[in-house]
Amino acid sequence: AREEGGDGLKLMGDCMMGKLVKWLRCVGIDTKFWGNKDYDGILKAAREEGRVVVTLDRRLAARKDAGIVYLVQTHDHKKALSELLRHFGITFDAQNFLARCSKCNTSDYHRLTQKELQDLVTEGKLSDKVVKTMSKFYMCMGCLQVFWKGYQYESAKEKLADVLMLKEKIVAVDDFDSDEEQDVGQEQDVGQEPNLSVGASG
């Protein structure tokens, strides 16, 4: 199996890499998740999209048609994150913290207006109490998840700092709008019950 690093790294985790995929997205790495054991499918998709396959499966990595595959050396997703960052020469940048949606990998967020927030409250898709408590809300344009800065956001930073063994706390730039602070980290899928999963993979 061959490996490569460099700028513009794009990964694809196989069906055993679910938790690791979320953490990779949390540090800003473009990572897709392949949810089944269709070896032909994941290899084909990775080739077409120019992605490195990340796997624990030695049989997959050993295939002659595997292309670019990285064989993870540990089943511990926390250690695996550090392993991948080290292998590909990636230094964690706080500006990239939660730059990608941990649920769908999209990096496109929309700052919700007061009218949009009230519409979501009226439709029963967002709590009026939360809207009155927090000041800024963002919607992932990929999966329509709504984010705001709450306990889960701080928890995710603490867990990531622990995983990466950082000596100082993560101070994120919080910049989806580029000119003002973002409130992001707590989340709710507007089509379902509240799903507070940011950073919960640790």
Side-chain angles (χ1 to χ4, degrees), residues 36-193:
N36 58 62
K37 290 189 176 182
D38 178 5
Y39 287 176
D40 292 334
I42 188 174
L43 295 178
K44 180 176 183 294
R47 283 194 298 269
E48 291 177 347
E49 299 179 25
R51 295 180 181 275
V52 178
V53 175
V54 178
T55 183
L56 282 164
D57 194 324
R58 294 183 180 277
R59 292 176 299 174
L60 174 58
R63 282 181 51 149
K64 293 182 179 180
D65 62 342
I68 303 172
V69 175
Y70 180 78
L71 182 63
V72 179
Q73 301 302 306
T74 175
H75 284 74
D76 185 321
H77 62 277
K78 295 180 181 180
K79 293 180 180 178
L81 175 61
S82 296
E83 176 188 327
L84 281 168
L85 296 182
R86 182 171 59 252
H87 176 81
F88 289 109
I90 299 171
T91 301
F92 171 67
D93 185 342
Q95 294 186 49
N96 294 324
F97 177 64
L98 291 184
R100 289 186 174 275
C101 176
S102 63
K103 181 177 180 181
C104 74
N105 194 45
T106 297
S107 59
D108 182 14
Y109 291 86
H110 166 65
R111 170 76 181 274
L112 293 172
T113 65
Q114 284 301 313
K115 182 181 184 307
E116 289 170 330
L117 288 170
Q118 288 307 315
D119 287 344
L120 291 175
V121 171
T122 300
E123 295 168 7
K125 296 178 179 179
L126 196 61
S127 166
D128 182 55
K129 180 180 179 181
V130 172
V131 171
K132 289 180 179 178
T133 303
M134 310 305 296
S135 61
K136 300 175 186 177
F137 295 80
Y138 293 81
M139 177 178 284
C140 169
M141 301 310 292
C143 64
L144 304 184
Q145 198 92 345
V146 175
F147 295 82
W148 62 91
K149 189 173 181 178
Y151 168 77
Q152 292 286 61
Y153 176 79
E154 297 301 329
S155 177
K157 288 198 297 185
E158 291 178 3
K159 290 177 180 178
L160 183 58
D162 179 59
V163 169
L164 300 180
M165 295 183 289
L166 301 179
K167 295 181 180 180
E168 299 179 353
K169 292 182 178 180
I170 295 173
V171 180
V173 174
D174 296 342
D175 192 15
F176 286 125
D177 279 354
S178 77
D179 62 346
E180 61 180 351
E181 182 182 2
Q182 118 198 350
D183 290 335
V184 66
Q186 199 103 336
E187 66 178 42
Q188 179 169 328
D189 187 323
V190 297
Q192 303 176 11
E193 292 299 310

